[in-house]
Amino acid sequence: MHQGRRIEVVGIVQGVGFRPWVYRVATQLGLQGQVRNDVSGVTVEAFGEPSALDGLVQALSSDHPPAAEIRSLRWTEIPPREAAGFVIAPSLPGTGRRVSIPADLATCPACVEEIFDPSDRRHRYPFTNCTDCGPRFTIALDAPYDRPVTSMAGFVMCDACQREYDDPLDRRFHAQPNACPRCGPRLQLLDAHGRDLKSADPLHEVAAALRAGSVVAVKGLGGYHLAVDASSPEAVRLLRERKRRDAKPFAVMVRDLREARKLATISEPEAKLLESVERPVVLLRAKRARALAPEVAPDNPLVGLMLPYTPLHHLLLADVERPLVMTSANLSDEPIVFEEAEALDRLRDIADLFLTHDRPIVTRCDDSVARVVAGAPVLLRRSRGWVPRPIPLARPVARPVLACGAQLKNTFCLAAGDVAVLGPHVGDLDQLEVHRSYEESIDRMQRFLGCRPEVIAYDLHPDYASTRYALDRPEPVKVAVQHHHAHVASAIAEHHLDGPVIGVVFDGTGYGTDGSAWGGEVLVASAGAFQRCATLRPVALAGGERAIREPWRIGLALLLDAYDGDPPGLWNFPAIPEAAGVLVRQALARGVNAPKAHGMGRLFDGVGALVLGRGTSRYEGEVALAWNLAAGAGAHGRYPFGIDSRGALLELDLRPMVRALVEEHLAGVPAGHLSAKFHDTLVHATAALVGMVRERAGGFPMVLTGGCFQNARLAEGLKAALEPEGKVYLHRQVPPGDGGIALGQVMVADATTR
Ligand code: ZN
Ligand code: ZN
Ligand code: FE
């Protein structure tokens, strides 16, 4: 008895080897029919014995290619019909492009084996890929994803590659970037002036140069990296000098997990994250290892490691036999360089050599950065490997929305139907170069998704470049979204929460509805509205923005506030410079150029400066991070604090903590102990605050969001403290910091304009 079934699969099922996989399973089961890509995913029509059809449905729901992700699978009976075997049918053209372009995938184990196999025709070929792996988003020019609209269009496949591409049983069936040494892209080695060195074995020469201490610009997947030997203090110092980058940690690439374990302590979930197809930079506890020069991450107990994600990386790391600094090639704070002419021009004074190739990068995409918090990954930067993977929404947006993001660590978000797509990490929008890259990136993503936004969402801050961009857009419907409301809404979106939540939002700074800087907030919020229920007692930022680079100013303000203007032995704190300190003290007393800020991040800055004796941050948040990481593992304890009620708004008063902490510091208690107690106090005080809000507003689910929740100790501690009260959510799909905020802007804009 023959039957027929139509099976519709929705999710990440295009560009990941899904159809050939279905073909193989269906053929093995003796089924007839076809599989094809369509606008919403993949549709299978299969005819045969009911038991074989059951087998196919079973296989689809329990087992599929590693890079595929199935969101839904539905099947219906259809009348049986005679078919000639099982075929992969041509894609149906359609107007909707909801599935669009896949994210880039790290080289799969089968391809790695081939490039190290001397008998394989792809031995040492740096552009090897298959349907399970290789470039996708970064080489795509248009949708749907097909070779003629990728930067592989200019390469004509040789007979051997074409046979693989056409054979449904081959691992390279319809692998769009398929290539080999005969027909595909080639490496080229250039000197600092861009002259072709006509190297017969560029990888080998680059490895030798790196071992000798050179700086090499390496063209990767989403842009150029600057590479140096990470075990050589001289080489790393040279890179810092030339790149004009003081202290910001560099990411390091190591050959495999075994090598990574020599440099850092790695838990099971951290190992999984390192080896995932997305291959982010993973922040790990560094071991004291001679293989890693201290200059890689000065004064920082963490190190960012990543494993090779292209064949080029695998071959290079194998040849060098040392860990390599692999940092985005740019001048400080500019976007990553991705075009050859641009690379040669802008990196001329930084790189001694250029290892480049003739496969153009279409869209720049930085490395993603992640760490494990409370046993699972949290993304600090969501870019290569994740972009443009759609984030499913609990309910479709009424009209397509473009959310323009914030100012720092900017990403944008486009939403249409029931998915939202976050763009790649763009960076800090105050730079002109960054701004251009931002606009290009938005245009391209609109094309990929075939979507014209009708609603524009942006941050309430009038001076953000993203706000100006939003206001210049032609679309008439625009929605300004309060920063912390957007943070909470991004958590609501990714966890498919419905109805109000209690959002604890701790970050550096965001524009409040009263025009002041918020950032230590407890909100009761849904996508459509929010109420500010509690906040952190503000501290004055003497010198405004300057206080962020010179956190001793915040430390001084905290002292003056905690001791009513008369702190004990102000000059006992080496972070506070005497002459400037006197002036700032006067300015604070008169309230001149000292805007008040509620940001939790600023508290870390200020207390860290006082206790650690570090008055300045060489990059944003350096002292705050150092203060977080100073916390001793076994130390615990609590300082006193107060909670004031100002009408409907609760205010957390940490002046008692500052006084107790300062006294212990002056009595010689070590910083590790003070930092641990500081964290415990914040956890305890926040839990108390949330408890009061729950009593007043209701026992809603709780979300922890904002950049401060990159801090594992704070996030894990608060989650554990709140969990007995109800469900607590951390970010898992989008960054807790401003890199995830555009998703929340989408939610708010959609909810308020329906
Ligand atoms: Zn592969
Ligand atoms: Zn070929
Ligand atoms: Fe923020």
Side-chain angles (χ1 to χ4, degrees):
M1 242 310 266
H2 272 206
Q3 287 185 357
R5 272 180 211 177
R6 177 182 293 121
I7 308 166
E8 288 166 333
V9 188
V10 176
I12 300 163
V13 288
Q14 294 186 7
V16 291
F18 200 79
R19 287 172 307 160
W21 180 84
V22 171
Y23 173 89
R24 285 194 289 274
V25 175
T27 314
Q28 275 159 21
L29 289 165
L31 292 167
Q32 299 186 326
Q34 61 169 30
V35 55
R36 67 156 37 118
N37 281 344
D38 60 27
V39 289
S40 61
V42 163
T43 300
V44 187
E45 287 181 351
F47 309 100
E49 295 298 328
S51 61
L53 290 168
D54 286 345
L56 178 61
V57 172
Q58 180 58 38
L60 280 167
S61 33
S62 62
D63 182 32
H64 48 72
E69 215 177 276
I70 295 181
R71 275 174 50 208
S72 80
L73 187 152
R74 280 210 326 253
W75 64 268
T76 46
E77 298 274 354
I78 54 171
R81 112 169 97 78
E82 258 331 292
F86 197 90
V87 295
I88 297 177
S91 306
L92 279 182
T95 47
R97 287 177 178 175
R98 291 176 41 211
V99 181
S100 184
I101 317 284
D104 300 298
L105 302 163
T107 311
C108 74
C111 286
V112 173
E113 207 167 291
E114 287 175 351
I115 60 173
F116 287 108
D117 175 359
S119 70
D120 194 277
R121 72 187 192 94
R122 289 190 173 84
H123 180 232
R124 285 182 69 77
Y125 183 55
F127 305 95
T128 302
N129 64 84
C130 73
T131 50
D132 290 336
C133 75
R136 300 286 189 271
F137 173 64
T138 51
I139 59 163
L141 289 154
D142 209 339
Y145 173 71
D146 261 324
R147 186 165 175 121
V149 286
T150 69
S151 63
M152 285 299 292
F155 298 92
V156 179
M157 276 186 272
C158 68
D159 291 347
C161 286
Q162 188 70 48
R163 268 198 302 278
E164 294 166 338
Y165 185 89
D166 292 333
D167 177 2
L169 288 176
D170 195 277
R171 207 172 91 240
R172 298 196 162 90
F173 175 72
H174 279 213
Q176 307 303 347
N178 188 27
C180 79
R182 271 179 48 209
C183 65
R186 272 163 215 203
L187 287 180
Q188 202 182 21
L189 186 62
L190 309 177
D191 70 9
H193 307 286
R195 283 186 296 246
D196 188 348
L197 294 171
K198 308 267 185 225
S199 168
D201 191 346
L203 277 167
H204 213 77
E205 276 190 48
V206 164
L210 286 167
R211 276 199 301 267
S214 297
V215 178
V216 183
V218 179
K219 185 173 177 179
L221 208 50
Y224 280 77
H225 279 125
L226 288 166
V228 295
D229 177 356
S231 65
S232 158
E234 296 76 29
V236 181
R237 268 202 298 273
L238 182 69
L239 177 60
R240 285 207 180 275
E241 262 168 47
R242 292 195 190 163
K243 207 176 176 241
R244 282 175 265 149
R245 180 149 137 171
D246 248 7
K248 212 170 176 182
F250 286 137
V252 171
M253 187 179 275
V254 288
R255 195 177 171 182
D256 53 29
L257 192 55
R258 248 191 49 214
E259 292 299 311
R261 288 195 197 278
K262 292 181 186 164
L263 306 185
T265 312
I266 299 172
S267 68
E268 259 329 289
E270 286 167 341
K272 258 181 77 182
L273 187 57
L274 275 169
E275 292 193 304
S276 66
V277 287
E278 295 91 356
R279 295 279 156 119
V281 174
V282 181
L283 296 191
L284 302 159
R285 276 269 158 191
K287 284 181 181 167
R288 241 181 260 275
R290 195 151 353 123
L292 202 64
E295 287 78 0
V296 168
D299 309 314
N300 195 324
L302 300 183
V303 62
L305 297 186
M306 65 178 147
L307 300 186
Y309 54 84
T310 69
L312 190 157
H313 296 147
H314 281 282
L315 294 165
L316 185 60
L317 270 284
D319 281 2
V320 177
E321 296 183 298
R322 296 179 193 179
L324 291 179
V325 164
M326 289 286 254
T327 184
S328 293
N330 54 9
L331 291 172
S332 285
D333 301 328
E334 287 185 2
I336 185 168
V337 172
F338 74 114
E339 279 165 338
E340 184 157 305
E342 186 195 13
L344 289 170
D345 178 40
R346 283 167 58 202
L347 305 176
R348 200 173 29 207
D349 299 329
I350 303 179
D352 301 307
L353 286 171
F354 289 82
L355 179 60
T356 178
H357 59 73
D358 53 355
R359 185 182 71 199
I361 297 170
V362 177
T363 302
R364 74 181 94 208
C365 201
D366 281 83
D367 292 320
S368 295
V369 183
R371 72 184 299 191
V372 169
V373 175
V378 166
L379 295 174
L380 310 191
R381 177 197 289 167
R382 185 185 186 276
S383 209
R384 177 192 47 76
W386 274 275
V387 176
R389 191 187 294 172
I391 297 163
L393 299 174
R395 76 166 173 180
V397 290
R399 287 180 285 174
V401 183
L402 168 68
C404 298
Q407 172 80 0
L408 303 180
K409 303 179 176 66
N410 181 283
T411 63
F412 61 86
C413 185
L414 260 178
D418 60 357
V419 293
V421 176
L422 271 179
H425 166 84
V426 187
D428 299 352
L429 275 186
D430 41 11
Q431 304 257 353
L432 184 68
E433 274 300 312
V434 181
H435 205 270
R436 195 180 322 140
S437 142
Y438 172 72
E439 294 188 16
E440 285 169 6
S441 212
I442 291 176
D443 287 346
R444 191 169 299 116
M445 195 68 86
Q446 279 182 214
R447 228 176 34 243
F448 283 178
L449 299 180
C451 139
R452 287 200 144 277
E454 292 171 31
V455 177
I456 306 296
Y458 61 100
D459 195 279
L460 196 57
H461 201 304
D463 299 331
Y464 281 0
S466 51
T467 298
R468 292 196 297 274
Y469 171 80
L471 295 176
D472 282 345
R473 297 251 338 175
E475 294 82 358
V477 186
K478 301 201 167 124
V479 183
V481 182
Q482 199 280 323
H483 190 90
H484 304 93
H485 186 201
H487 272 305
V488 177
S490 70
I492 290 178
E494 77 163 80
H495 293 293
H496 287 188
L497 302 176
D498 183 29
V501 299
I502 295 176
V504 179
V505 202
F506 289 168
D507 67 357
T509 242
Y511 198 82
T513 51
D514 58 2
S516 75
W518 295 5
E521 313 301 318
V522 181
L523 311 181
V524 171
S526 58
F530 76 96
Q531 197 197 346
R532 189 188 193 202
C533 295
T535 188
L536 180 65
R537 179 183 166 86
V539 60
L541 302 186
E545 286 290 303
R546 216 174 145 180
I548 293 168
R549 274 172 291 129
E550 298 176 13
W552 65 264
R553 292 162 177 267
I554 303 169
L556 177 56
L558 284 171
L559 281 176
L560 294 169
D561 189 34
Y563 289 95
D564 281 327
D566 191 21
L570 211 47
W571 316 121
N572 288 333
F573 297 95
I576 303 174
E578 263 194 65
V582 170
L583 294 175
V584 167
R585 188 178 187 173
Q586 286 167 0
L588 283 168
R590 279 186 269 122
V592 178
N593 190 18
K596 298 229 165 176
H598 299 263
M600 182 58 81
R602 302 287 91 91
L603 182 75
F604 277 77
D605 272 332
V607 176
L610 293 177
V611 177
L612 301 175
R614 288 168 68 167
T616 54
S617 279
R618 292 168 292 183
Y619 51 93
E620 207 224 335
E622 185 191 8
V623 169
L625 181 67
W627 177 236
N628 159 223
L629 295 173
H636 287 286
R638 267 175 215 162
Y639 296 114
F641 61 90
I643 294 177
D644 302 327
S645 195
R646 297 174 178 272
L649 186 66
L650 300 168
E651 191 178 87
L652 177 60
D653 180 359
L654 292 170
R655 285 176 299 177
M657 174 187 81
V658 171
R659 288 193 295 269
L661 191 149
V662 159
E663 271 140 42
E664 285 190 354
H665 169 63
L666 294 177
V669 179
H673 195 79
L674 301 182
S675 173
K677 273 177 87 171
F678 171 90
H679 281 83
D680 282 5
T681 308
L682 284 189
V683 164
H684 182 65
T686 307
L689 212 53
V690 168
M692 290 170 72
V693 170
R694 287 171 72 83
E695 243 163 60
R696 291 175 174 200
F700 305 123
M702 293 160 279
V703 306
L704 310 185
T705 181
C708 291
F709 288 106
Q710 299 179 8
N711 175 336
R713 194 170 181 119
L714 185 65
E716 287 167 1
L718 192 53
K719 183 168 186 281
L722 293 175
E723 239 150 16
E725 308 300 319
K727 195 91 180 101
V728 181
Y729 296 91
L730 295 177
H731 284 284
R732 296 302 183 193
Q733 292 193 57
V734 306
D738 287 3
I741 212 166
L743 177 63
Q745 292 176 340
V746 160
M747 295 294 285
V748 176
D750 177 60
T752 51
T753 57
R754 295 177 87 88

